[in-house]
Amino acid sequence: MPTQTSLSGERFHAFKSAVNPQPVKKLEKMKNSAGLEAPISEYFGCMTFGLAQMREKLPKDAYQALLKTLEQGKKLPKETAEAIASSIKEWSVSKGVTHFCHWFQPMTGLTAEKHDAFISIQHSHHSELRVIERFTGSQLIQGEPDASSFPSGGMRSTFEARGYTAWDPSSPLFIIEEESGNTLCIPTVFFGYHGQALDNKTPLLRSMEAINREACDFLKLLGDVDVKRISATLGAEQEYFLIDKNFVSLRPDLIMTGRTLIGALPARGQQLEDHYFGSIPGRVKKFMQEVEFELYKLGIPVKTRHNEVAPSQFELAPIFEDVNISADHNVLTMEVLKRIALKHGLVCLLHEKPFAGINGSGKHNNWSIANDKGENLLEPGTTPHQNLRFLAVLAVTLKAVFDHADVLRASIASPGNDHRLGANEAPPAIISVFLGELLENILNDIEQGKALKATDQQIIDLGLTHIPNISRDYTDRNRTSPFAFTGNKFEFRAVGSSANVAVPMSILNAAVASSFKQSSAKLRELMSSKFMKRDEAVMEFIRDVCKKTKNIRFEGNGYSKEWRDEAKKRGLPVLNTSAEALSVFNNKKATQFLADMNVLSQEEITSRYHINVERYVKTLDIEFESLVELTKTFVIPSLEKQMIQISASTDSASVPALKKLQKTRQQNLEKVFASVLKNLEEFEKLLEKSHKTSDEAVRMHEIVKILSPKALELRKACDHAETLVADEFWTLPKYREMLFANTLA
Ligand code: ADP
Ligand code: MG
């Protein structure tokens, strides 16, 4: 019997390489004239071409025509398109770009791009062919990728299976620099023959329009007569894991599914909570510096970086921007994270739950609304008017979340997020709003019509003519809330780390827009039929909303079992799994506001439901097949080796006491082995049976109710095996190696 003195071969090498990583090429940053590192402001956005660059580079009339198009949603005149294309081409070629692509966000959840060279053929006088760099207005504006390879959820019949991409001038063009060459990416929307949205960006742009329209109307009623434009703003904090590539290459589950399907918990997980905000390992810091450098060149304002709760988990937060821009930026950030990680011999895991028993990853969506002066409407202000406006907008948002909690929950449903929501970590699956003690008290007092008293920290003087003045200075936090007010913005924390934020943000914007619309109607009614003065009517409106939406407000522990019971009593939607949550998209009444706000038509909603169900089923099928394979080709052979070894040594042991102990060990191993085999057999049978179900929605429910629990049992048996098999026989890299190697490197 050949024995090894340490870890089994490949795994040992992976560990050695992970703690002694290959040196990474030193990052060449921009230098200033003195040869020192240039300040970020000097190269920020140098690889982008947006409105600022167009103003500088375009002929005046072309730029004016573009602005008009943007403001009024008009078609871009042909000459203008040509002028823009030509200046884009000149700029791109000067940056070493040879190819361009229409960059879009199909409903697969990833981005797609179709590359074309800038060249075109010109015939000279002597009919020789000549290649020239050329980029036309129509190439800029419209493309037609092979749409049949992208999901449409049954919206297109084959004869109209065409899809078009159209330039979205509100988001800057950008250049992706890779060793294989530089590519100009044109942000586009993607739609079908009849204009149906086939992507995640179109609904987001529509929702920005909706919130602009409805919020402006509401604010004018409030007395902000000169308000011109309202945008929703977003700062998306991104969590991720970094694992050495050598380990990932030995873990078929990570390669195929982005998460570990088996793996026993290490003795030390995150109990010590020493990773959070601890010092960042050197190797990771180098990675982060390069990521930030790339992001700055792409005009993405990343600001903070730190360790997260789990070992090898990190977070990056940008400065907020208008949602349509920051949504693109978040997608790009995820791509840059993954690309740069590979350069550093690391793999960036964006999955919501890469390691069972270890904290998962989310994406905290900090969301607010701002006017064209850049004032944050959720910022308690210094004047009574600002504070009344603040309370009114707060009430509108509360009403939006209360009315549409089910659809908001559905918007964050994904297989990965099922491991976070509903599990005992991160936000719960029940949507509720946390306001903090101070605001809670204010709203309660308003509701009861009490004149508010001055407190120690805040001056609150609420007669009907006086308006409460709310100080922003409170840091009350509740980490267990899925939707929390954090001083001057809401934080939608239940969004998954791998999600395209355009999806939940378009639903949130639509919900708030719809709420603005109804609130305007209510205000008009109060002012005309009850002859109330404006501020009085606004207070009355706020009081009414406080009363009606009280059930959505929750200050307690969102993880607790009591809350689940309480939420049910309150009649809040308790949708623990994606299967339950996605069904909401089938409920016409629940989703009607999306159609009313022109964000998604009923046809588009139905198609999204089908795509989500299909993706859920496919993702889980891949996980199930991978689990079966992993059990058969890794776990069982490891167990067998261990059992052969122990039976050989039991036979040859001459000391009776030793022989007895080894017998016990052997029996334990046999038990685990039997359990793995039994669970595997049962699981495979269930899986085979389930494949006979042709209706995908039915299968989704079967998966949640029957298959996933069984997969978990199989996993538990495998994890138990891992704790019994000698290290030398276990071939899969273990949690402790994958999660802690960074600290040794
Ligand atoms: P916190 O201490 O609450 O984490 P930060 O100031 O660090 O607050 O902000 C966290 C995130 O919230 C950042 O991405 C930030 O840009 C974003 N943020 C701040 N203000 C707004 C706003 N008005 N709208 C949207 N996001 C915002
Ligand atoms: Mg935060």
mmCIF file with all atom_site columns, all heavy atoms in Angstrom, residues 233-237 304 317-321 366-369 376 477 486 488-489 491, ligand 1:
data_model
loop_
_atom_site.group_PDB
_atom_site.id
_atom_site.type_symbol
_atom_site.label_atom_id
_atom_site.label_alt_id
_atom_site.label_comp_id
_atom_site.label_asym_id
_atom_site.label_entity_id
_atom_site.label_seq_id
_atom_site.pdbx_PDB_ins_code
_atom_site.Cartn_x
_atom_site.Cartn_y
_atom_site.Cartn_z
_atom_site.occupancy
_atom_site.B_iso_or_equiv
_atom_site.pdbx_formal_charge
_atom_site.auth_seq_id
_atom_site.auth_comp_id
_atom_site.auth_asym_id
_atom_site.auth_atom_id
_atom_site.pdbx_PDB_model_num
ATOM   1   N N   . THR A 1 233 ? -31.168 57.337 -7.448  1.00 0.00 ? 233 THR A N   1
ATOM   2   C CA  . THR A 1 233 ? -29.715 57.176 -7.349  1.00 0.00 ? 233 THR A CA  1
ATOM   3   C C   . THR A 1 233 ? -29.397 55.842 -6.683  1.00 0.00 ? 233 THR A C   1
ATOM   4   O O   . THR A 1 233 ? -30.176 55.326 -5.880  1.00 0.00 ? 233 THR A O   1
ATOM   5   C CB  . THR A 1 233 ? -29.091 58.312 -6.516  1.00 0.00 ? 233 THR A CB  1
ATOM   6   O OG1 . THR A 1 233 ? -29.790 58.407 -5.265  1.00 0.00 ? 233 THR A OG1 1
ATOM   7   C CG2 . THR A 1 233 ? -29.186 59.638 -7.236  1.00 0.00 ? 233 THR A CG2 1
ATOM   8   N N   . LEU A 1 234 ? -28.239 55.312 -7.021  1.00 0.00 ? 234 LEU A N   1
ATOM   9   C CA  . LEU A 1 234 ? -27.862 54.006 -6.483  1.00 0.00 ? 234 LEU A CA  1
ATOM   10  C C   . LEU A 1 234 ? -26.366 53.922 -6.221  1.00 0.00 ? 234 LEU A C   1
ATOM   11  O O   . LEU A 1 234 ? -25.543 54.301 -7.055  1.00 0.00 ? 234 LEU A O   1
ATOM   12  C CB  . LEU A 1 234 ? -28.247 52.891 -7.476  1.00 0.00 ? 234 LEU A CB  1
ATOM   13  C CG  . LEU A 1 234 ? -27.657 51.507 -7.193  1.00 0.00 ? 234 LEU A CG  1
ATOM   14  C CD1 . LEU A 1 234 ? -28.300 50.869 -5.981  1.00 0.00 ? 234 LEU A CD1 1
ATOM   15  C CD2 . LEU A 1 234 ? -27.811 50.592 -8.405  1.00 0.00 ? 234 LEU A CD2 1
ATOM   16  N N   . GLY A 1 235 ? -26.034 53.422 -5.044  1.00 0.00 ? 235 GLY A N   1
ATOM   17  C CA  . GLY A 1 235 ? -24.661 53.017 -4.741  1.00 0.00 ? 235 GLY A CA  1
ATOM   18  C C   . GLY A 1 235 ? -24.730 51.548 -4.355  1.00 0.00 ? 235 GLY A C   1
ATOM   19  O O   . GLY A 1 235 ? -25.333 51.206 -3.350  1.00 0.00 ? 235 GLY A O   1
ATOM   20  N N   . ALA A 1 236 ? -24.160 50.668 -5.188  1.00 0.00 ? 236 ALA A N   1
ATOM   21  C CA  . ALA A 1 236 ? -24.308 49.224 -4.951  1.00 0.00 ? 236 ALA A CA  1
ATOM   22  C C   . ALA A 1 236 ? -23.032 48.657 -4.339  1.00 0.00 ? 236 ALA A C   1
ATOM   23  O O   . ALA A 1 236 ? -22.000 48.579 -4.994  1.00 0.00 ? 236 ALA A O   1
ATOM   24  C CB  . ALA A 1 236 ? -24.633 48.509 -6.257  1.00 0.00 ? 236 ALA A CB  1
ATOM   25  N N   . GLU A 1 237 ? -23.132 48.283 -3.057  1.00 0.00 ? 237 GLU A N   1
ATOM   26  C CA  . GLU A 1 237 ? -21.966 47.684 -2.390  1.00 0.00 ? 237 GLU A CA  1
ATOM   27  C C   . GLU A 1 237 ? -21.871 46.221 -2.800  1.00 0.00 ? 237 GLU A C   1
ATOM   28  O O   . GLU A 1 237 ? -22.828 45.471 -2.639  1.00 0.00 ? 237 GLU A O   1
ATOM   29  C CB  . GLU A 1 237 ? -22.126 47.778 -0.873  1.00 0.00 ? 237 GLU A CB  1
ATOM   30  C CG  . GLU A 1 237 ? -22.267 49.206 -0.370  1.00 0.00 ? 237 GLU A CG  1
ATOM   31  C CD  . GLU A 1 237 ? -22.759 49.253 1.073   1.00 0.00 ? 237 GLU A CD  1
ATOM   32  O OE1 . GLU A 1 237 ? -22.205 48.524 1.912   1.00 0.00 ? 237 GLU A OE1 1
ATOM   33  O OE2 . GLU A 1 237 ? -23.709 50.000 1.334   1.00 0.00 ? 237 GLU A OE2 1
ATOM   34  N N   . THR A 1 304 ? -14.656 52.604 -1.355  1.00 0.00 ? 304 THR A N   1
ATOM   35  C CA  . THR A 1 304 ? -14.160 51.889 -0.186  1.00 0.00 ? 304 THR A CA  1
ATOM   36  C C   . THR A 1 304 ? -13.915 50.430 -0.505  1.00 0.00 ? 304 THR A C   1
ATOM   37  O O   . THR A 1 304 ? -14.546 49.845 -1.376  1.00 0.00 ? 304 THR A O   1
ATOM   38  C CB  . THR A 1 304 ? -15.172 51.945 0.976   1.00 0.00 ? 304 THR A CB  1
ATOM   39  O OG1 . THR A 1 304 ? -16.407 51.419 0.508   1.00 0.00 ? 304 THR A OG1 1
ATOM   40  C CG2 . THR A 1 304 ? -15.387 53.345 1.460   1.00 0.00 ? 304 THR A CG2 1
ATOM   41  N N   . ALA A 1 317 ? -17.239 49.299 -2.545  1.00 0.00 ? 317 ALA A N   1
ATOM   42  C CA  . ALA A 1 317 ? -18.396 50.192 -2.656  1.00 0.00 ? 317 ALA A CA  1
ATOM   43  C C   . ALA A 1 317 ? -18.062 51.405 -3.507  1.00 0.00 ? 317 ALA A C   1
ATOM   44  O O   . ALA A 1 317 ? -17.020 52.022 -3.330  1.00 0.00 ? 317 ALA A O   1
ATOM   45  C CB  . ALA A 1 317 ? -18.861 50.640 -1.269  1.00 0.00 ? 317 ALA A CB  1
ATOM   46  N N   . PRO A 1 318 ? -18.936 51.714 -4.426  1.00 0.00 ? 318 PRO A N   1
ATOM   47  C CA  . PRO A 1 318 ? -18.735 52.901 -5.258  1.00 0.00 ? 318 PRO A CA  1
ATOM   48  C C   . PRO A 1 318 ? -19.451 54.109 -4.670  1.00 0.00 ? 318 PRO A C   1
ATOM   49  O O   . PRO A 1 318 ? -20.300 53.953 -3.793  1.00 0.00 ? 318 PRO A O   1
ATOM   50  C CB  . PRO A 1 318 ? -19.403 52.499 -6.567  1.00 0.00 ? 318 PRO A CB  1
ATOM   51  C CG  . PRO A 1 318 ? -20.560 51.654 -6.122  1.00 0.00 ? 318 PRO A CG  1
ATOM   52  C CD  . PRO A 1 318 ? -20.134 50.967 -4.843  1.00 0.00 ? 318 PRO A CD  1
ATOM   53  N N   . ILE A 1 319 ? -19.133 55.276 -5.183  1.00 0.00 ? 319 ILE A N   1
ATOM   54  C CA  . ILE A 1 319 ? -19.937 56.465 -4.865  1.00 0.00 ? 319 ILE A CA  1
ATOM   55  C C   . ILE A 1 319 ? -21.200 56.370 -5.730  1.00 0.00 ? 319 ILE A C   1
ATOM   56  O O   . ILE A 1 319 ? -21.130 55.932 -6.879  1.00 0.00 ? 319 ILE A O   1
ATOM   57  C CB  . ILE A 1 319 ? -19.154 57.752 -5.204  1.00 0.00 ? 319 ILE A CB  1
ATOM   58  C CG1 . ILE A 1 319 ? -17.913 57.833 -4.302  1.00 0.00 ? 319 ILE A CG1 1
ATOM   59  C CG2 . ILE A 1 319 ? -20.023 58.982 -5.051  1.00 0.00 ? 319 ILE A CG2 1
ATOM   60  C CD1 . ILE A 1 319 ? -16.975 58.964 -4.654  1.00 0.00 ? 319 ILE A CD1 1
ATOM   61  N N   . PHE A 1 320 ? -22.325 56.794 -5.162  1.00 0.00 ? 320 PHE A N   1
ATOM   62  C CA  . PHE A 1 320 ? -23.579 56.596 -5.890  1.00 0.00 ? 320 PHE A CA  1
ATOM   63  C C   . PHE A 1 320 ? -23.666 57.459 -7.146  1.00 0.00 ? 320 PHE A C   1
ATOM   64  O O   . PHE A 1 320 ? -23.026 58.502 -7.251  1.00 0.00 ? 320 PHE A O   1
ATOM   65  C CB  . PHE A 1 320 ? -24.772 56.858 -4.980  1.00 0.00 ? 320 PHE A CB  1
ATOM   66  C CG  . PHE A 1 320 ? -24.927 58.304 -4.561  1.00 0.00 ? 320 PHE A CG  1
ATOM   67  C CD1 . PHE A 1 320 ? -25.765 59.146 -5.286  1.00 0.00 ? 320 PHE A CD1 1
ATOM   68  C CD2 . PHE A 1 320 ? -24.257 58.816 -3.466  1.00 0.00 ? 320 PHE A CD2 1
ATOM   69  C CE1 . PHE A 1 320 ? -25.929 60.478 -4.912  1.00 0.00 ? 320 PHE A CE1 1
ATOM   70  C CE2 . PHE A 1 320 ? -24.419 60.141 -3.082  1.00 0.00 ? 320 PHE A CE2 1
ATOM   71  C CZ  . PHE A 1 320 ? -25.236 60.969 -3.802  1.00 0.00 ? 320 PHE A CZ  1
ATOM   72  N N   . GLU A 1 321 ? -24.464 56.999 -8.084  1.00 0.00 ? 321 GLU A N   1
ATOM   73  C CA  . GLU A 1 321 ? -24.724 57.705 -9.343  1.00 0.00 ? 321 GLU A CA  1
ATOM   74  C C   . GLU A 1 321 ? -26.195 57.476 -9.695  1.00 0.00 ? 321 GLU A C   1
ATOM   75  O O   . GLU A 1 321 ? -26.879 56.699 -9.034  1.00 0.00 ? 321 GLU A O   1
ATOM   76  C CB  . GLU A 1 321 ? -23.860 57.132 -10.467 1.00 0.00 ? 321 GLU A CB  1
ATOM   77  C CG  . GLU A 1 321 ? -22.367 57.210 -10.192 1.00 0.00 ? 321 GLU A CG  1
ATOM   78  C CD  . GLU A 1 321 ? -21.553 56.507 -11.272 1.00 0.00 ? 321 GLU A CD  1
ATOM   79  O OE1 . GLU A 1 321 ? -21.395 55.277 -11.190 1.00 0.00 ? 321 GLU A OE1 1
ATOM   80  O OE2 . GLU A 1 321 ? -21.098 57.188 -12.194 1.00 0.00 ? 321 GLU A OE2 1
ATOM   81  N N   . ASN A 1 366 ? -27.937 50.855 -2.096  1.00 0.00 ? 366 ASN A N   1
ATOM   82  C CA  . ASN A 1 366 ? -28.273 52.127 -1.462  1.00 0.00 ? 366 ASN A CA  1
ATOM   83  C C   . ASN A 1 366 ? -29.010 52.974 -2.474  1.00 0.00 ? 366 ASN A C   1
ATOM   84  O O   . ASN A 1 366 ? -28.459 53.328 -3.521  1.00 0.00 ? 366 ASN A O   1
ATOM   85  C CB  . ASN A 1 366 ? -27.002 52.841 -1.012  1.00 0.00 ? 366 ASN A CB  1
ATOM   86  C CG  . ASN A 1 366 ? -26.290 52.075 0.079   1.00 0.00 ? 366 ASN A CG  1
ATOM   87  O OD1 . ASN A 1 366 ? -26.553 52.260 1.255   1.00 0.00 ? 366 ASN A OD1 1
ATOM   88  N ND2 . ASN A 1 366 ? -25.403 51.169 -0.317  1.00 0.00 ? 366 ASN A ND2 1
ATOM   89  N N   . TRP A 1 367 ? -30.226 53.300 -2.139  1.00 0.00 ? 367 TRP A N   1
ATOM   90  C CA  . TRP A 1 367 ? -31.113 53.922 -3.131  1.00 0.00 ? 367 TRP A CA  1
ATOM   91  C C   . TRP A 1 367 ? -31.731 55.206 -2.582  1.00 0.00 ? 367 TRP A C   1
ATOM   92  O O   . TRP A 1 367 ? -32.108 55.268 -1.413  1.00 0.00 ? 367 TRP A O   1
ATOM   93  C CB  . TRP A 1 367 ? -32.203 52.906 -3.481  1.00 0.00 ? 367 TRP A CB  1
ATOM   94  C CG  . TRP A 1 367 ? -33.292 53.391 -4.393  1.00 0.00 ? 367 TRP A CG  1
ATOM   95  C CD1 . TRP A 1 367 ? -33.337 53.257 -5.745  1.00 0.00 ? 367 TRP A CD1 1
ATOM   96  C CD2 . TRP A 1 367 ? -34.493 54.077 -4.023  1.00 0.00 ? 367 TRP A CD2 1
ATOM   97  N NE1 . TRP A 1 367 ? -34.488 53.812 -6.238  1.00 0.00 ? 367 TRP A NE1 1
ATOM   98  C CE2 . TRP A 1 367 ? -35.212 54.328 -5.206  1.00 0.00 ? 367 TRP A CE2 1
ATOM   99  C CE3 . TRP A 1 367 ? -35.023 54.518 -2.802  1.00 0.00 ? 367 TRP A CE3 1
ATOM   100 C CZ2 . TRP A 1 367 ? -36.436 54.983 -5.202  1.00 0.00 ? 367 TRP A CZ2 1
ATOM   101 C CZ3 . TRP A 1 367 ? -36.238 55.179 -2.812  1.00 0.00 ? 367 TRP A CZ3 1
ATOM   102 C CH2 . TRP A 1 367 ? -36.931 55.403 -4.005  1.00 0.00 ? 367 TRP A CH2 1
ATOM   103 N N   . SER A 1 368 ? -31.806 56.200 -3.426  1.00 0.00 ? 368 SER A N   1
ATOM   104 C CA  . SER A 1 368 ? -32.499 57.422 -3.026  1.00 0.00 ? 368 SER A CA  1
ATOM   105 C C   . SER A 1 368 ? -33.041 58.128 -4.268  1.00 0.00 ? 368 SER A C   1
ATOM   106 O O   . SER A 1 368 ? -32.967 57.587 -5.371  1.00 0.00 ? 368 SER A O   1
ATOM   107 C CB  . SER A 1 368 ? -31.554 58.337 -2.243  1.00 0.00 ? 368 SER A CB  1
ATOM   108 O OG  . SER A 1 368 ? -32.300 59.389 -1.677  1.00 0.00 ? 368 SER A OG  1
ATOM   109 N N   . ILE A 1 369 ? -33.589 59.318 -4.062  1.00 0.00 ? 369 ILE A N   1
ATOM   110 C CA  . ILE A 1 369 ? -34.097 60.105 -5.187  1.00 0.00 ? 369 ILE A CA  1
ATOM   111 C C   . ILE A 1 369 ? -33.514 61.501 -5.076  1.00 0.00 ? 369 ILE A C   1
ATOM   112 O O   . ILE A 1 369 ? -33.457 62.072 -3.986  1.00 0.00 ? 369 ILE A O   1
ATOM   113 C CB  . ILE A 1 369 ? -35.636 60.261 -5.140  1.00 0.00 ? 369 ILE A CB  1
ATOM   114 C CG1 . ILE A 1 369 ? -36.294 58.964 -4.659  1.00 0.00 ? 369 ILE A CG1 1
ATOM   115 C CG2 . ILE A 1 369 ? -36.192 60.618 -6.496  1.00 0.00 ? 369 ILE A CG2 1
ATOM   116 C CD1 . ILE A 1 369 ? -37.792 59.129 -4.478  1.00 0.00 ? 369 ILE A CD1 1
ATOM   117 N N   . ASN A 1 376 ? -30.768 65.608 -2.348  1.00 0.00 ? 376 ASN A N   1
ATOM   118 C CA  . ASN A 1 376 ? -31.273 64.282 -2.015  1.00 0.00 ? 376 ASN A CA  1
ATOM   119 C C   . ASN A 1 376 ? -32.614 64.437 -1.297  1.00 0.00 ? 376 ASN A C   1
ATOM   120 O O   . ASN A 1 376 ? -32.692 65.024 -0.226  1.00 0.00 ? 376 ASN A O   1
ATOM   121 C CB  . ASN A 1 376 ? -30.243 63.584 -1.119  1.00 0.00 ? 376 ASN A CB  1
ATOM   122 C CG  . ASN A 1 376 ? -30.707 62.220 -0.644  1.00 0.00 ? 376 ASN A CG  1
ATOM   123 O OD1 . ASN A 1 376 ? -31.812 61.786 -0.958  1.00 0.00 ? 376 ASN A OD1 1
ATOM   124 N ND2 . ASN A 1 376 ? -29.853 61.569 0.122   1.00 0.00 ? 376 ASN A ND2 1
ATOM   125 N N   . ARG A 1 477 ? -28.644 51.199 13.419  1.00 0.00 ? 477 ARG A N   1
ATOM   126 C CA  . ARG A 1 477 ? -28.574 50.252 12.310  1.00 0.00 ? 477 ARG A CA  1
ATOM   127 C C   . ARG A 1 477 ? -29.265 48.959 12.693  1.00 0.00 ? 477 ARG A C   1
ATOM   128 O O   . ARG A 1 477 ? -29.236 48.540 13.834  1.00 0.00 ? 477 ARG A O   1
ATOM   129 C CB  . ARG A 1 477 ? -27.117 49.931 11.955  1.00 0.00 ? 477 ARG A CB  1
ATOM   130 C CG  . ARG A 1 477 ? -26.367 51.076 11.337  1.00 0.00 ? 477 ARG A CG  1
ATOM   131 C CD  . ARG A 1 477 ? -26.816 51.269 9.908   1.00 0.00 ? 477 ARG A CD  1
ATOM   132 N NE  . ARG A 1 477 ? -26.360 52.540 9.396   1.00 0.00 ? 477 ARG A NE  1
ATOM   133 C CZ  . ARG A 1 477 ? -25.341 52.675 8.565   1.00 0.00 ? 477 ARG A CZ  1
ATOM   134 N NH1 . ARG A 1 477 ? -24.651 51.635 8.212   1.00 0.00 ? 477 ARG A NH1 1
ATOM   135 N NH2 . ARG A 1 477 ? -25.012 53.860 8.113   1.00 0.00 ? 477 ARG A NH2 1
ATOM   136 N N   . THR A 1 486 ? -31.072 54.370 6.173   1.00 0.00 ? 486 THR A N   1
ATOM   137 C CA  . THR A 1 486 ? -29.771 54.594 6.810   1.00 0.00 ? 486 THR A CA  1
ATOM   138 C C   . THR A 1 486 ? -29.416 56.083 6.758   1.00 0.00 ? 486 THR A C   1
ATOM   139 O O   . THR A 1 486 ? -28.402 56.478 6.192   1.00 0.00 ? 486 THR A O   1
ATOM   140 C CB  . THR A 1 486 ? -28.658 53.749 6.155   1.00 0.00 ? 486 THR A CB  1
ATOM   141 O OG1 . THR A 1 486 ? -28.729 53.948 4.738   1.00 0.00 ? 486 THR A OG1 1
ATOM   142 C CG2 . THR A 1 486 ? -28.826 52.277 6.448   1.00 0.00 ? 486 THR A CG2 1
ATOM   143 N N   . ASN A 1 488 ? -30.079 58.872 5.156   1.00 0.00 ? 488 ASN A N   1
ATOM   144 C CA  . ASN A 1 488 ? -30.489 59.737 4.054   1.00 0.00 ? 488 ASN A CA  1
ATOM   145 C C   . ASN A 1 488 ? -30.739 58.938 2.777   1.00 0.00 ? 488 ASN A C   1
ATOM   146 O O   . ASN A 1 488 ? -30.680 59.454 1.674   1.00 0.00 ? 488 ASN A O   1
ATOM   147 C CB  . ASN A 1 488 ? -29.437 60.816 3.795   1.00 0.00 ? 488 ASN A CB  1
ATOM   148 C CG  . ASN A 1 488 ? -28.101 60.210 3.416   1.00 0.00 ? 488 ASN A CG  1
ATOM   149 O OD1 . ASN A 1 488 ? -27.908 58.998 3.485   1.00 0.00 ? 488 ASN A OD1 1
ATOM   150 N ND2 . ASN A 1 488 ? -27.176 61.057 3.012   1.00 0.00 ? 488 ASN A ND2 1
ATOM   151 N N   . LYS A 1 489 ? -30.969 57.650 2.945   1.00 0.00 ? 489 LYS A N   1
ATOM   152 C CA  . LYS A 1 489 ? -31.213 56.762 1.805   1.00 0.00 ? 489 LYS A CA  1
ATOM   153 C C   . LYS A 1 489 ? -31.759 55.454 2.334   1.00 0.00 ? 489 LYS A C   1
ATOM   154 O O   . LYS A 1 489 ? -31.662 55.191 3.533   1.00 0.00 ? 489 LYS A O   1
ATOM   155 C CB  . LYS A 1 489 ? -29.898 56.489 1.073   1.00 0.00 ? 489 LYS A CB  1
ATOM   156 C CG  . LYS A 1 489 ? -28.863 55.812 1.978   1.00 0.00 ? 489 LYS A CG  1
ATOM   157 C CD  . LYS A 1 489 ? -27.482 55.767 1.365   1.00 0.00 ? 489 LYS A CD  1
ATOM   158 C CE  . LYS A 1 489 ? -26.485 55.031 2.226   1.00 0.00 ? 489 LYS A CE  1
ATOM   159 N NZ  . LYS A 1 489 ? -26.014 55.741 3.429   1.00 0.00 ? 489 LYS A NZ  1
ATOM   160 N N   . GLU A 1 491 ? -31.550 51.278 2.090   1.00 0.00 ? 491 GLU A N   1
ATOM   161 C CA  . GLU A 1 491 ? -30.598 50.258 1.681   1.00 0.00 ? 491 GLU A CA  1
ATOM   162 C C   . GLU A 1 491 ? -31.383 48.962 1.456   1.00 0.00 ? 491 GLU A C   1
ATOM   163 O O   . GLU A 1 491 ? -31.849 48.347 2.414   1.00 0.00 ? 491 GLU A O   1
ATOM   164 C CB  . GLU A 1 491 ? -29.556 50.094 2.796   1.00 0.00 ? 491 GLU A CB  1
ATOM   165 C CG  . GLU A 1 491 ? -28.274 49.472 2.343   1.00 0.00 ? 491 GLU A CG  1
ATOM   166 C CD  . GLU A 1 491 ? -27.173 49.554 3.413   1.00 0.00 ? 491 GLU A CD  1
ATOM   167 O OE1 . GLU A 1 491 ? -27.054 50.610 4.078   1.00 0.00 ? 491 GLU A OE1 1
ATOM   168 O OE2 . GLU A 1 491 ? -26.458 48.564 3.567   1.00 0.00 ? 491 GLU A OE2 1
HETATM 169 P P1  . ADP B 2 .   ? -22.910 53.872 5.121   1.00 0.00 ? 1   ADP B P1  1
HETATM 170 O O1  . ADP B 2 .   ? -22.109 54.350 6.273   1.00 0.00 ? 1   ADP B O1  1
HETATM 171 O O2  . ADP B 2 .   ? -24.368 53.924 5.298   1.00 0.00 ? 1   ADP B O2  1
HETATM 172 O O3  . ADP B 2 .   ? -22.425 52.580 4.524   1.00 0.00 ? 1   ADP B O3  1
HETATM 173 P P2  . ADP B 2 .   ? -21.728 55.405 3.017   1.00 0.00 ? 1   ADP B P2  1
HETATM 174 O O4  . ADP B 2 .   ? -21.678 56.880 2.917   1.00 0.00 ? 1   ADP B O4  1
HETATM 175 O O5  . ADP B 2 .   ? -20.463 54.664 3.173   1.00 0.00 ? 1   ADP B O5  1
HETATM 176 O O6  . ADP B 2 .   ? -22.776 55.058 4.113   1.00 0.00 ? 1   ADP B O6  1
HETATM 177 O O7  . ADP B 2 .   ? -22.491 54.880 1.758   1.00 0.00 ? 1   ADP B O7  1
HETATM 178 C C1  . ADP B 2 .   ? -22.698 53.572 1.449   1.00 0.00 ? 1   ADP B C1  1
HETATM 179 C C2  . ADP B 2 .   ? -23.138 53.558 0.028   1.00 0.00 ? 1   ADP B C2  1
HETATM 180 O O8  . ADP B 2 .   ? -24.305 54.340 -0.107  1.00 0.00 ? 1   ADP B O8  1
HETATM 181 C C3  . ADP B 2 .   ? -22.128 54.156 -0.935  1.00 0.00 ? 1   ADP B C3  1
HETATM 182 O O9  . ADP B 2 .   ? -22.091 53.377 -2.095  1.00 0.00 ? 1   ADP B O9  1
HETATM 183 C C4  . ADP B 2 .   ? -22.698 55.516 -1.184  1.00 0.00 ? 1   ADP B C4  1
HETATM 184 O O10 . ADP B 2 .   ? -22.300 56.064 -2.418  1.00 0.00 ? 1   ADP B O10 1
HETATM 185 C C5  . ADP B 2 .   ? -24.176 55.211 -1.186  1.00 0.00 ? 1   ADP B C5  1
HETATM 186 N N1  . ADP B 2 .   ? -24.998 56.412 -1.026  1.00 0.00 ? 1   ADP B N1  1
HETATM 187 C C6  . ADP B 2 .   ? -24.795 57.470 -0.232  1.00 0.00 ? 1   ADP B C6  1
HETATM 188 N N2  . ADP B 2 .   ? -25.740 58.415 -0.445  1.00 0.00 ? 1   ADP B N2  1
HETATM 189 C C7  . ADP B 2 .   ? -26.571 57.930 -1.406  1.00 0.00 ? 1   ADP B C7  1
HETATM 190 C C8  . ADP B 2 .   ? -27.718 58.421 -2.096  1.00 0.00 ? 1   ADP B C8  1
HETATM 191 N N3  . ADP B 2 .   ? -28.219 59.621 -1.833  1.00 0.00 ? 1   ADP B N3  1
HETATM 192 N N4  . ADP B 2 .   ? -28.278 57.647 -3.026  1.00 0.00 ? 1   ADP B N4  1
HETATM 193 C C9  . ADP B 2 .   ? -27.792 56.445 -3.316  1.00 0.00 ? 1   ADP B C9  1
HETATM 194 N N5  . ADP B 2 .   ? -26.721 55.929 -2.712  1.00 0.00 ? 1   ADP B N5  1
HETATM 195 C C10 . ADP B 2 .   ? -26.103 56.659 -1.778  1.00 0.00 ? 1   ADP B C10 1
#
